[in-house]
Amino acid sequence: MKQTTINHEFVELIPDEIKEGILYISIPFATSTHRCACGCGEIVVLPIRPAEWELIWDGETVSIYPSVGNWSLPCQSHYFITKNNIIWMKKWSTSQIKAGRKRDILLREKYFEKFKNKNKTSE
Ligand SMILES: [Zn+2]
């Protein structure tokens, strides 16, 4: 069954048993793990890094940006986690997935480029 909400839990280490409906967040390891919100049971790992996912904790709820696109899973679910709510998005077509991946790669390259340039100027 599709979930419409998710609870978060801050942990040191991601536990071996990933319960459904819980977003495990490890600050020391800059990562998060949850079971796909569509109910398929697959485990989704989202690294929290500037070029990957951004985590916002407002003291009560968490949001993760950009959206979670489980293109590599059979369910291909696509949703946002916003203030502990699951906002379901339309599934992407194959060409949209390709375009999205390309954009991700470009963003990542841009980010690391910026980083490299920063290092250069500080020399
Ligand atoms: Zn799923």
Side-chain angles (χ1 to χ4, degrees):
M1 222 183 70
K2 272 188 178 182
Q3 289 163 222
T4 52
T5 58
I6 193 161
N7 293 314
H8 68 275
E9 210 176 296
F10 287 108
V11 290
E12 177 102 23
L13 277 170
I14 303 295
D16 291 334
E17 193 205 338
I18 306 296
K19 285 185 195 151
E20 219 162 272
I22 296 179
L23 176 70
Y24 296 91
I25 302 157
S26 167
I27 302 292
F29 291 93
T31 192
S32 77
T33 302
H34 70 283
R35 285 202 192 265
C36 176
C38 87
C40 68
E42 295 282 349
I43 290 174
V44 182
V45 177
L46 306 174
I48 313 294
R49 287 190 195 103
E52 293 187 80
W53 279 272
E54 183 181 333
L55 175 85
I56 298 160
W57 177 57
D58 65 6
E60 274 181 20
T61 63
V62 295
S63 305
I64 283 192
Y65 295 100
S67 61
V68 183
N70 296 326
W71 322 126
S72 54
L73 301 183
C75 67
Q76 302 219 319
S77 54
H78 183 205
Y79 49 87
F80 278 93
I81 298 175
T82 305
K83 291 185 179 282
N84 287 26
N85 286 301
I86 307 286
I87 317 289
W88 287 92
M89 305 303 288
K90 269 193 199 145
K91 276 185 193 172
W92 277 8
S93 65
T94 320
S95 58
Q96 278 176 312
I97 293 170
K98 271 190 198 148
R101 280 205 177 128
K102 215 178 191 177
R103 192 206 54 199
D104 280 356
I105 291 166
L106 283 176
L107 278 177
R108 223 161 280 174
E109 277 174 359
K110 234 189 200 164
Y111 170 75
F112 288 113
E113 202 56 44
K114 206 168 68 186
F115 204 66
K116 265 189 256 165
N117 290 340
K118 220 187 254 169
N119 285 349
K120 256 182 224 156
T121 49
S122 65
E123 272 170 12

